[in-house]
PDB file of all heavy atoms in Angstrom:
ATOM      1  N   ARG M   2     -20.476 -25.017   8.779  1.00 38.00           N
ATOM      2  CA  ARG M   2     -19.836 -23.730   9.016  1.00 38.00           C
ATOM      3  C   ARG M   2     -20.682 -22.609   8.427  1.00 38.00           C
ATOM      4  O   ARG M   2     -21.174 -22.685   7.321  1.00 38.00           O
ATOM      5  CB  ARG M   2     -18.449 -23.718   8.367  1.00 38.00           C
ATOM      6  CG  ARG M   2     -17.697 -22.428   8.577  1.00 38.00           C
ATOM      7  CD  ARG M   2     -16.305 -22.552   7.964  1.00 38.00           C
ATOM      8  NE  ARG M   2     -16.370 -22.982   6.576  1.00 38.00           N
ATOM      9  CZ  ARG M   2     -16.614 -22.167   5.570  1.00 38.00           C
ATOM     10  NH1 ARG M   2     -16.873 -20.893   5.788  1.00 38.00           N
ATOM     11  NH2 ARG M   2     -16.636 -22.621   4.330  1.00 38.00           N
ATOM     12  N   LEU M   3     -20.832 -21.549   9.182  1.00 35.00           N
ATOM     13  CA  LEU M   3     -21.554 -20.389   8.676  1.00 35.00           C
ATOM     14  C   LEU M   3     -20.787 -19.752   7.535  1.00 35.00           C
ATOM     15  O   LEU M   3     -19.576 -19.612   7.597  1.00 35.00           O
ATOM     16  CB  LEU M   3     -21.721 -19.352   9.794  1.00 35.00           C
ATOM     17  CG  LEU M   3     -22.692 -19.695  10.913  1.00 35.00           C
ATOM     18  CD1 LEU M   3     -22.630 -18.624  11.976  1.00 35.00           C
ATOM     19  CD2 LEU M   3     -24.097 -19.830  10.379  1.00 35.00           C
ATOM     20  N   VAL M   4     -21.475 -19.365   6.486  1.00 39.00           N
ATOM     21  CA  VAL M   4     -20.835 -18.594   5.422  1.00 39.00           C
ATOM     22  C   VAL M   4     -20.417 -17.249   5.974  1.00 39.00           C
ATOM     23  O   VAL M   4     -19.285 -16.829   5.850  1.00 39.00           O
ATOM     24  CB  VAL M   4     -21.805 -18.398   4.237  1.00 39.00           C
ATOM     25  CG1 VAL M   4     -21.169 -17.502   3.181  1.00 39.00           C
ATOM     26  CG2 VAL M   4     -22.159 -19.741   3.628  1.00 39.00           C
ATOM     27  N   ASN M   5     -21.335 -16.544   6.577  1.00 38.00           N
ATOM     28  CA  ASN M   5     -21.039 -15.297   7.280  1.00 38.00           C
ATOM     29  C   ASN M   5     -22.346 -14.786   7.848  1.00 38.00           C
ATOM     30  O   ASN M   5     -23.374 -14.872   7.200  1.00 38.00           O
ATOM     31  CB  ASN M   5     -20.445 -14.243   6.342  1.00 38.00           C
ATOM     32  CG  ASN M   5     -19.718 -13.149   7.108  1.00 38.00           C
ATOM     33  OD1 ASN M   5     -20.319 -12.476   7.926  1.00 38.00           O
ATOM     34  ND2 ASN M   5     -18.433 -13.023   6.851  1.00 38.00           N
ATOM     35  N   ILE M   8     -23.894 -10.692   5.906  1.00 35.00           N
ATOM     36  CA  ILE M   8     -23.758 -10.693   4.463  1.00 35.00           C
ATOM     37  C   ILE M   8     -23.822  -9.277   3.902  1.00 35.00           C
ATOM     38  O   ILE M   8     -23.447  -9.019   2.754  1.00 35.00           O
ATOM     39  CB  ILE M   8     -24.844 -11.574   3.832  1.00 35.00           C
ATOM     40  CG1 ILE M   8     -24.376 -12.058   2.448  1.00 35.00           C
ATOM     41  CG2 ILE M   8     -26.165 -10.854   3.735  1.00 35.00           C
ATOM     42  CD1 ILE M   8     -23.190 -12.970   2.525  1.00 35.00           C
ATOM     43  N   TYR M  11     -20.619  -8.214   2.250  1.00 39.00           N
ATOM     44  CA  TYR M  11     -20.448  -8.709   0.893  1.00 39.00           C
ATOM     45  C   TYR M  11     -21.262  -7.865  -0.090  1.00 39.00           C
ATOM     46  O   TYR M  11     -20.795  -7.408  -1.112  1.00 39.00           O
ATOM     47  CB  TYR M  11     -20.967 -10.146   0.748  1.00 39.00           C
ATOM     48  CG  TYR M  11     -20.286 -11.207   1.539  1.00 39.00           C
ATOM     49  CD1 TYR M  11     -21.013 -12.302   1.978  1.00 39.00           C
ATOM     50  CD2 TYR M  11     -18.935 -11.147   1.821  1.00 39.00           C
ATOM     51  CE1 TYR M  11     -20.409 -13.326   2.689  1.00 39.00           C
ATOM     52  CE2 TYR M  11     -18.333 -12.173   2.528  1.00 39.00           C
ATOM     53  CZ  TYR M  11     -19.066 -13.247   2.962  1.00 39.00           C
ATOM     54  OH  TYR M  11     -18.489 -14.261   3.652  1.00 39.00           O
ATOM     55  N   LEU M  34     -27.322 -18.494   8.337  1.00 46.00           N
ATOM     56  CA  LEU M  34     -27.040 -18.604   6.918  1.00 46.00           C
ATOM     57  C   LEU M  34     -25.904 -19.602   6.710  1.00 46.00           C
ATOM     58  O   LEU M  34     -24.774 -19.360   7.105  1.00 46.00           O
ATOM     59  CB  LEU M  34     -26.646 -17.227   6.369  1.00 46.00           C
ATOM     60  CG  LEU M  34     -26.482 -17.117   4.868  1.00 46.00           C
ATOM     61  CD1 LEU M  34     -27.795 -17.441   4.169  1.00 46.00           C
ATOM     62  CD2 LEU M  34     -26.040 -15.713   4.491  1.00 46.00           C
ATOM     63  N   TYR M  35     -26.203 -20.740   6.096  1.00 56.00           N
ATOM     64  CA  TYR M  35     -25.227 -21.781   5.877  1.00 56.00           C
ATOM     65  C   TYR M  35     -24.934 -21.899   4.389  1.00 56.00           C
ATOM     66  O   TYR M  35     -25.757 -21.531   3.539  1.00 56.00           O
ATOM     67  CB  TYR M  35     -25.739 -23.125   6.409  1.00 56.00           C
ATOM     68  CG  TYR M  35     -25.872 -23.147   7.908  1.00 56.00           C
ATOM     69  CD1 TYR M  35     -27.023 -22.670   8.526  1.00 56.00           C
ATOM     70  CD2 TYR M  35     -24.829 -23.620   8.703  1.00 56.00           C
ATOM     71  CE1 TYR M  35     -27.151 -22.679   9.903  1.00 56.00           C
ATOM     72  CE2 TYR M  35     -24.940 -23.642  10.084  1.00 56.00           C
ATOM     73  CZ  TYR M  35     -26.104 -23.172  10.679  1.00 56.00           C
ATOM     74  OH  TYR M  35     -26.215 -23.171  12.034  1.00 56.00           O
ATOM     75  N   LYS M  36     -23.745 -22.467   4.077  1.00 61.00           N
ATOM     76  CA  LYS M  36     -23.388 -22.552   2.666  1.00 61.00           C
ATOM     77  C   LYS M  36     -24.361 -23.436   1.882  1.00 61.00           C
ATOM     78  O   LYS M  36     -24.564 -23.250   0.697  1.00 61.00           O
ATOM     79  CB  LYS M  36     -21.963 -23.057   2.514  1.00 61.00           C
ATOM     80  CG  LYS M  36     -21.700 -24.464   3.037  1.00 61.00           C
ATOM     81  CD  LYS M  36     -20.231 -24.797   2.861  1.00 61.00           C
ATOM     82  CE  LYS M  36     -19.910 -26.183   3.384  1.00 61.00           C
ATOM     83  NZ  LYS M  36     -18.473 -26.496   3.227  1.00 61.00           N
ATOM     84  N   GLU M  37     -24.989 -24.389   2.560  1.00 63.00           N
ATOM     85  CA  GLU M  37     -25.908 -25.277   1.865  1.00 63.00           C
ATOM     86  C   GLU M  37     -27.142 -24.551   1.327  1.00 63.00           C
ATOM     87  O   GLU M  37     -27.774 -24.994   0.369  1.00 63.00           O
ATOM     88  CB  GLU M  37     -26.347 -26.426   2.790  1.00 63.00           C
ATOM     89  CG  GLU M  37     -25.263 -27.458   3.061  1.00 63.00           C
ATOM     90  CD  GLU M  37     -24.237 -26.987   4.096  1.00 63.00           C
ATOM     91  OE1 GLU M  37     -24.417 -25.879   4.667  1.00 63.00           O
ATOM     92  OE2 GLU M  37     -23.261 -27.723   4.327  1.00 63.00           O
ATOM     93  N   ASN M  38     -27.537 -23.445   1.972  1.00 64.00           N
ATOM     94  CA  ASN M  38     -28.722 -22.733   1.493  1.00 64.00           C
ATOM     95  C   ASN M  38     -28.393 -21.330   1.019  1.00 64.00           C
ATOM     96  O   ASN M  38     -29.288 -20.500   0.858  1.00 64.00           O
ATOM     97  CB  ASN M  38     -29.812 -22.685   2.581  1.00 64.00           C
ATOM     98  CG  ASN M  38     -29.349 -21.950   3.836  1.00 64.00           C
ATOM     99  OD1 ASN M  38     -28.398 -21.189   3.812  1.00 64.00           O
ATOM    100  ND2 ASN M  38     -30.054 -22.191   4.930  1.00 64.00           N
ATOM    101  N   PHE M  39     -27.107 -21.072   0.790  1.00 77.00           N
ATOM    102  CA  PHE M  39     -26.727 -19.717   0.399  1.00 77.00           C
ATOM    103  C   PHE M  39     -26.452 -19.580  -1.091  1.00 77.00           C
ATOM    104  O   PHE M  39     -26.984 -18.699  -1.758  1.00 77.00           O
ATOM    105  CB  PHE M  39     -25.502 -19.258   1.188  1.00 77.00           C
ATOM    106  CG  PHE M  39     -25.000 -17.898   0.765  1.00 77.00           C
ATOM    107  CD1 PHE M  39     -25.807 -16.777   0.896  1.00 77.00           C
ATOM    108  CD2 PHE M  39     -23.732 -17.748   0.231  1.00 77.00           C
ATOM    109  CE1 PHE M  39     -25.363 -15.529   0.497  1.00 77.00           C
ATOM    110  CE2 PHE M  39     -23.276 -16.503  -0.167  1.00 77.00           C
ATOM    111  CZ  PHE M  39     -24.092 -15.385  -0.024  1.00 77.00           C
ATOM    112  N   TYR M  40     -25.624 -20.442  -1.658  1.00 89.00           N
ATOM    113  CA  TYR M  40     -25.155 -20.254  -3.033  1.00 89.00           C
ATOM    114  C   TYR M  40     -26.223 -20.662  -4.047  1.00 89.00           C
ATOM    115  O   TYR M  40     -26.176 -21.728  -4.643  1.00 89.00           O
ATOM    116  CB  TYR M  40     -23.863 -21.050  -3.255  1.00 89.00           C
ATOM    117  CG  TYR M  40     -22.719 -20.579  -2.388  1.00 89.00           C
ATOM    118  CD1 TYR M  40     -22.277 -21.356  -1.322  1.00 89.00           C
ATOM    119  CD2 TYR M  40     -22.098 -19.361  -2.639  1.00 89.00           C
ATOM    120  CE1 TYR M  40     -21.232 -20.924  -0.515  1.00 89.00           C
ATOM    121  CE2 TYR M  40     -21.057 -18.924  -1.838  1.00 89.00           C
ATOM    122  CZ  TYR M  40     -20.629 -19.703  -0.778  1.00 89.00           C
ATOM    123  OH  TYR M  40     -19.605 -19.271   0.005  1.00 89.00           O
ATOM    124  N   LYS M  41     -27.185 -19.766  -4.241  1.00 90.00           N
ATOM    125  CA  LYS M  41     -28.303 -20.047  -5.132  1.00 90.00           C
ATOM    126  C   LYS M  41     -28.317 -19.155  -6.369  1.00 90.00           C
ATOM    127  O   LYS M  41     -29.201 -19.290  -7.211  1.00 90.00           O
ATOM    128  CB  LYS M  41     -29.639 -19.868  -4.373  1.00 90.00           C
ATOM    129  CG  LYS M  41     -29.786 -20.749  -3.138  1.00 90.00           C
ATOM    130  CD  LYS M  41     -29.724 -22.238  -3.485  1.00 90.00           C
ATOM    131  CE  LYS M  41     -29.958 -23.092  -2.250  1.00 90.00           C
ATOM    132  NZ  LYS M  41     -29.849 -24.540  -2.538  1.00 90.00           N
ATOM    133  N   SER M  42     -27.334 -18.255  -6.489  1.00 93.00           N
ATOM    134  CA  SER M  42     -27.314 -17.334  -7.622  1.00 93.00           C
ATOM    135  C   SER M  42     -25.900 -16.830  -7.852  1.00 93.00           C
ATOM    136  O   SER M  42     -25.021 -16.946  -6.985  1.00 93.00           O
ATOM    137  CB  SER M  42     -28.246 -16.148  -7.378  1.00 93.00           C
ATOM    138  OG  SER M  42     -27.735 -15.325  -6.351  1.00 93.00           O
ATOM    139  N   ARG M  43     -25.681 -16.240  -9.016  1.00 94.00           N
ATOM    140  CA  ARG M  43     -24.391 -15.623  -9.345  1.00 94.00           C
ATOM    141  C   ARG M  43     -24.077 -14.499  -8.365  1.00 94.00           C
ATOM    142  O   ARG M  43     -22.915 -14.332  -7.951  1.00 94.00           O
ATOM    143  CB  ARG M  43     -24.429 -15.081 -10.770  1.00 94.00           C
ATOM    144  CG  ARG M  43     -23.176 -14.319 -11.193  1.00 94.00           C
ATOM    145  CD  ARG M  43     -23.299 -13.845 -12.636  1.00 94.00           C
ATOM    146  NE  ARG M  43     -22.102 -13.121 -13.045  1.00 94.00           N
ATOM    147  CZ  ARG M  43     -21.922 -11.815 -12.867  1.00 94.00           C
ATOM    148  NH1 ARG M  43     -22.878 -11.095 -12.277  1.00 94.00           N
ATOM    149  NH2 ARG M  43     -20.813 -11.230 -13.282  1.00 94.00           N
ATOM    150  N   THR M  44     -25.077 -13.725  -7.983  1.00 93.00           N
ATOM    151  CA  THR M  44     -24.854 -12.629  -7.040  1.00 93.00           C
ATOM    152  C   THR M  44     -24.303 -13.139  -5.726  1.00 93.00           C
ATOM    153  O   THR M  44     -23.369 -12.560  -5.157  1.00 93.00           O
ATOM    154  CB  THR M  44     -26.167 -11.860  -6.797  1.00 93.00           C
ATOM    155  OG1 THR M  44     -26.596 -11.266  -8.026  1.00 93.00           O
ATOM    156  CG2 THR M  44     -25.981 -10.766  -5.758  1.00 93.00           C
ATOM    157  N   GLU M  45     -24.840 -14.236  -5.220  1.00 93.00           N
ATOM    158  CA  GLU M  45     -24.376 -14.778  -3.949  1.00 93.00           C
ATOM    159  C   GLU M  45     -22.963 -15.336  -4.069  1.00 93.00           C
ATOM    160  O   GLU M  45     -22.168 -15.249  -3.133  1.00 93.00           O
ATOM    161  CB  GLU M  45     -25.360 -15.830  -3.443  1.00 93.00           C
ATOM    162  CG  GLU M  45     -26.692 -15.211  -3.023  1.00 93.00           C
ATOM    163  CD  GLU M  45     -27.731 -16.233  -2.624  1.00 93.00           C
ATOM    164  OE1 GLU M  45     -27.518 -17.440  -2.918  1.00 93.00           O
ATOM    165  OE2 GLU M  45     -28.760 -15.843  -2.038  1.00 93.00           O
ATOM    166  N   VAL M  46     -22.619 -15.887  -5.216  1.00 94.00           N
ATOM    167  CA  VAL M  46     -21.244 -16.348  -5.446  1.00 94.00           C
ATOM    168  C   VAL M  46     -20.288 -15.159  -5.399  1.00 94.00           C
ATOM    169  O   VAL M  46     -19.226 -15.209  -4.767  1.00 94.00           O
ATOM    170  CB  VAL M  46     -21.130 -17.078  -6.794  1.00 94.00           C
ATOM    171  CG1 VAL M  46     -19.670 -17.306  -7.177  1.00 94.00           C
ATOM    172  CG2 VAL M  46     -21.866 -18.409  -6.730  1.00 94.00           C
ATOM    173  N   LEU M  47     -20.672 -14.071  -6.062  1.00 94.00           N
ATOM    174  CA  LEU M  47     -19.817 -12.891  -6.068  1.00 94.00           C
ATOM    175  C   LEU M  47     -19.707 -12.281  -4.676  1.00 94.00           C
ATOM    176  O   LEU M  47     -18.637 -11.783  -4.286  1.00 94.00           O
ATOM    177  CB  LEU M  47     -20.364 -11.859  -7.057  1.00 94.00           C
ATOM    178  CG  LEU M  47     -20.167 -12.188  -8.535  1.00 94.00           C
ATOM    179  CD1 LEU M  47     -20.882 -11.169  -9.406  1.00 94.00           C
ATOM    180  CD2 LEU M  47     -18.686 -12.231  -8.886  1.00 94.00           C
ATOM    181  N   GLN M  48     -20.765 -12.324  -3.918  1.00 92.00           N
ATOM    182  CA  GLN M  48     -20.723 -11.801  -2.560  1.00 92.00           C
ATOM    183  C   GLN M  48     -19.667 -12.536  -1.730  1.00 92.00           C
ATOM    184  O   GLN M  48     -18.886 -11.927  -0.998  1.00 92.00           O
ATOM    185  CB  GLN M  48     -22.100 -11.914  -1.908  1.00 92.00           C
ATOM    186  CG  GLN M  48     -23.109 -10.906  -2.446  1.00 92.00           C
ATOM    187  CD  GLN M  48     -24.507 -11.148  -1.929  1.00 92.00           C
ATOM    188  OE1 GLN M  48     -24.809 -12.231  -1.410  1.00 92.00           O
ATOM    189  NE2 GLN M  48     -25.373 -10.158  -2.057  1.00 92.00           N
ATOM    190  N   ALA M  49     -19.646 -13.835  -1.839  1.00 92.00           N
ATOM    191  CA  ALA M  49     -18.663 -14.623  -1.088  1.00 92.00           C
ATOM    192  C   ALA M  49     -17.256 -14.392  -1.611  1.00 92.00           C
ATOM    193  O   ALA M  49     -16.303 -14.268  -0.833  1.00 92.00           O
ATOM    194  CB  ALA M  49     -19.027 -16.099  -1.173  1.00 92.00           C
ATOM    195  N   ALA M  50     -17.121 -14.324  -2.930  1.00 94.00           N
ATOM    196  CA  ALA M  50     -15.797 -14.135  -3.519  1.00 94.00           C
ATOM    197  C   ALA M  50     -15.207 -12.774  -3.176  1.00 94.00           C
ATOM    198  O   ALA M  50     -13.979 -12.625  -3.101  1.00 94.00           O
ATOM    199  CB  ALA M  50     -15.883 -14.300  -5.039  1.00 94.00           C
ATOM    200  N   ALA M 126     -11.759 -19.858   3.019  1.00 95.00           N
ATOM    201  CA  ALA M 126     -13.159 -20.207   3.232  1.00 95.00           C
ATOM    202  C   ALA M 126     -13.948 -20.119   1.933  1.00 95.00           C
ATOM    203  O   ALA M 126     -14.745 -21.008   1.609  1.00 95.00           O
ATOM    204  CB  ALA M 126     -13.772 -19.290   4.294  1.00 95.00           C
ATOM    205  N   ALA M 127     -13.734 -19.044   1.197  1.00 96.00           N
ATOM    206  CA  ALA M 127     -14.457 -18.879  -0.065  1.00 96.00           C
ATOM    207  C   ALA M 127     -14.062 -19.952  -1.075  1.00 96.00           C
ATOM    208  O   ALA M 127     -14.909 -20.488  -1.797  1.00 96.00           O
ATOM    209  CB  ALA M 127     -14.196 -17.484  -0.628  1.00 96.00           C
ATOM    210  N   LEU M 128     -12.774 -20.270  -1.123  1.00 97.00           N
ATOM    211  CA  LEU M 128     -12.314 -21.299  -2.061  1.00 97.00           C
ATOM    212  C   LEU M 128     -12.909 -22.662  -1.724  1.00 97.00           C
ATOM    213  O   LEU M 128     -13.321 -23.408  -2.624  1.00 97.00           O
ATOM    214  CB  LEU M 128     -10.781 -21.369  -2.052  1.00 97.00           C
ATOM    215  CG  LEU M 128     -10.065 -20.269  -2.829  1.00 97.00           C
ATOM    216  CD1 LEU M 128      -8.577 -20.241  -2.500  1.00 97.00           C
ATOM    217  CD2 LEU M 128     -10.268 -20.471  -4.333  1.00 97.00           C
ATOM    218  N   GLU M 129     -12.955 -23.008  -0.455  1.00 95.00           N
ATOM    219  CA  GLU M 129     -13.533 -24.295  -0.065  1.00 95.00           C
ATOM    220  C   GLU M 129     -14.984 -24.404  -0.511  1.00 95.00           C
ATOM    221  O   GLU M 129     -15.437 -25.466  -0.960  1.00 95.00           O
ATOM    222  CB  GLU M 129     -13.440 -24.458   1.457  1.00 95.00           C
ATOM    223  CG  GLU M 129     -12.047 -24.784   1.960  1.00 95.00           C
ATOM    224  CD  GLU M 129     -12.015 -25.040   3.451  1.00 95.00           C
ATOM    225  OE1 GLU M 129     -13.097 -25.301   4.031  1.00 95.00           O
ATOM    226  OE2 GLU M 129     -10.932 -24.970   4.042  1.00 95.00           O
ATOM    227  N   ASP M 130     -15.712 -23.305  -0.411  1.00 94.00           N
ATOM    228  CA  ASP M 130     -17.113 -23.326  -0.803  1.00 94.00           C
ATOM    229  C   ASP M 130     -17.277 -23.357  -2.322  1.00 94.00           C
ATOM    230  O   ASP M 130     -18.077 -24.129  -2.866  1.00 94.00           O
ATOM    231  CB  ASP M 130     -17.835 -22.094  -0.256  1.00 94.00           C
ATOM    232  CG  ASP M 130     -18.016 -22.147   1.254  1.00 94.00           C
ATOM    233  OD1 ASP M 130     -17.772 -23.218   1.842  1.00 94.00           O
ATOM    234  OD2 ASP M 130     -18.381 -21.116   1.838  1.00 94.00           O
ATOM    235  N   LEU M 131     -16.535 -22.510  -3.020  1.00 95.00           N
ATOM    236  CA  LEU M 131     -16.795 -22.294  -4.439  1.00 95.00           C
ATOM    237  C   LEU M 131     -16.138 -23.326  -5.345  1.00 95.00           C
ATOM    238  O   LEU M 131     -16.647 -23.589  -6.445  1.00 95.00           O
ATOM    239  CB  LEU M 131     -16.328 -20.890  -4.837  1.00 95.00           C
ATOM    240  CG  LEU M 131     -17.040 -19.734  -4.113  1.00 95.00           C
ATOM    241  CD1 LEU M 131     -16.528 -18.388  -4.616  1.00 95.00           C
ATOM    242  CD2 LEU M 131     -18.550 -19.828  -4.282  1.00 95.00           C
ATOM    243  N   LEU M 134     -18.666 -26.017  -5.901  1.00 93.00           N
ATOM    244  CA  LEU M 134     -20.022 -25.580  -6.215  1.00 93.00           C
ATOM    245  C   LEU M 134     -20.469 -26.080  -7.589  1.00 93.00           C
ATOM    246  O   LEU M 134     -19.693 -26.070  -8.552  1.00 93.00           O
ATOM    247  CB  LEU M 134     -20.064 -24.049  -6.184  1.00 93.00           C
ATOM    248  CG  LEU M 134     -21.409 -23.392  -6.462  1.00 93.00           C
ATOM    249  CD1 LEU M 134     -22.385 -23.660  -5.313  1.00 93.00           C
ATOM    250  CD2 LEU M 134     -21.229 -21.881  -6.655  1.00 93.00           C
ATOM    251  N   ASP M 135     -21.707 -26.494  -7.695  1.00 93.00           N
ATOM    252  CA  ASP M 135     -22.306 -26.847  -8.988  1.00 93.00           C
ATOM    253  C   ASP M 135     -22.765 -25.537  -9.639  1.00 93.00           C
ATOM    254  O   ASP M 135     -23.923 -25.137  -9.552  1.00 93.00           O
ATOM    255  CB  ASP M 135     -23.485 -27.796  -8.788  1.00 93.00           C
ATOM    256  CG  ASP M 135     -24.083 -28.262 -10.107  1.00 93.00           C
ATOM    257  OD1 ASP M 135     -23.590 -27.839 -11.176  1.00 93.00           O
ATOM    258  OD2 ASP M 135     -25.062 -29.031 -10.058  1.00 93.00           O
ATOM    259  N   TYR M 136     -21.814 -24.874 -10.296  1.00 93.00           N
ATOM    260  CA  TYR M 136     -22.091 -23.545 -10.841  1.00 93.00           C
ATOM    261  C   TYR M 136     -23.113 -23.590 -11.975  1.00 93.00           C
ATOM    262  O   TYR M 136     -23.885 -22.645 -12.180  1.00 93.00           O
ATOM    263  CB  TYR M 136     -20.792 -22.889 -11.304  1.00 93.00           C
ATOM    264  CG  TYR M 136     -20.013 -23.697 -12.307  1.00 93.00           C
ATOM    265  CD1 TYR M 136     -20.293 -23.608 -13.669  1.00 93.00           C
ATOM    266  CD2 TYR M 136     -18.996 -24.551 -11.899  1.00 93.00           C
ATOM    267  CE1 TYR M 136     -19.577 -24.348 -14.587  1.00 93.00           C
ATOM    268  CE2 TYR M 136     -18.283 -25.302 -12.806  1.00 93.00           C
ATOM    269  CZ  TYR M 136     -18.578 -25.199 -14.156  1.00 93.00           C
ATOM    270  OH  TYR M 136     -17.873 -25.934 -15.075  1.00 93.00           O
ATOM    271  N   ALA M 138     -25.709 -25.302 -12.143  1.00 93.00           N
ATOM    272  CA  ALA M 138     -27.065 -25.386 -11.595  1.00 93.00           C
ATOM    273  C   ALA M 138     -27.632 -24.014 -11.252  1.00 93.00           C
ATOM    274  O   ALA M 138     -28.852 -23.859 -11.139  1.00 93.00           O
ATOM    275  CB  ALA M 138     -27.065 -26.270 -10.347  1.00 93.00           C
ATOM    276  N   ILE M 139     -26.770 -23.035 -11.084  1.00 93.00           N
ATOM    277  CA  ILE M 139     -27.270 -21.684 -10.785  1.00 93.00           C
ATOM    278  C   ILE M 139     -27.063 -20.750 -11.975  1.00 93.00           C
ATOM    279  O   ILE M 139     -27.110 -19.528 -11.839  1.00 93.00           O
ATOM    280  CB  ILE M 139     -26.585 -21.105  -9.530  1.00 93.00           C
ATOM    281  CG1 ILE M 139     -25.054 -21.060  -9.693  1.00 93.00           C
ATOM    282  CG2 ILE M 139     -26.973 -21.904  -8.298  1.00 93.00           C
ATOM    283  CD1 ILE M 139     -24.350 -20.352  -8.547  1.00 93.00           C
ATOM    284  N   MET M 146     -16.670 -18.882 -13.760  1.00 95.00           N
ATOM    285  CA  MET M 146     -16.410 -19.533 -12.484  1.00 95.00           C
ATOM    286  C   MET M 146     -14.919 -19.801 -12.306  1.00 95.00           C
ATOM    287  O   MET M 146     -14.365 -19.615 -11.221  1.00 95.00           O
ATOM    288  CB  MET M 146     -17.202 -20.843 -12.408  1.00 95.00           C
ATOM    289  CG  MET M 146     -17.318 -21.383 -10.985  1.00 95.00           C
ATOM    290  SD  MET M 146     -18.278 -20.285  -9.928  1.00 95.00           S
ATOM    291  CE  MET M 146     -17.507 -20.573  -8.351  1.00 95.00           C
TER     292      MET M 146
END
Side-chain angles (χ1 to χ4, degrees):
R2 181 177 53 81
L3 289 175
V4 176
N5 199 301
I8 204 65
Y11 297 149
L34 187 61
Y35 293 85
K36 63 182 179 181
E37 288 78 4
N38 61 19
F39 176 62
Y40 297 108
K41 302 299 183 182
S42 69
R43 176 179 180 272
T44 297
E45 291 175 346
V46 168
L47 287 174
Q48 287 172 344
L128 282 167
E129 285 184 18
D130 289 349
L131 298 182
L134 181 69
D135 184 359
Y136 56 86
I139 58 173
M146 197 65 211

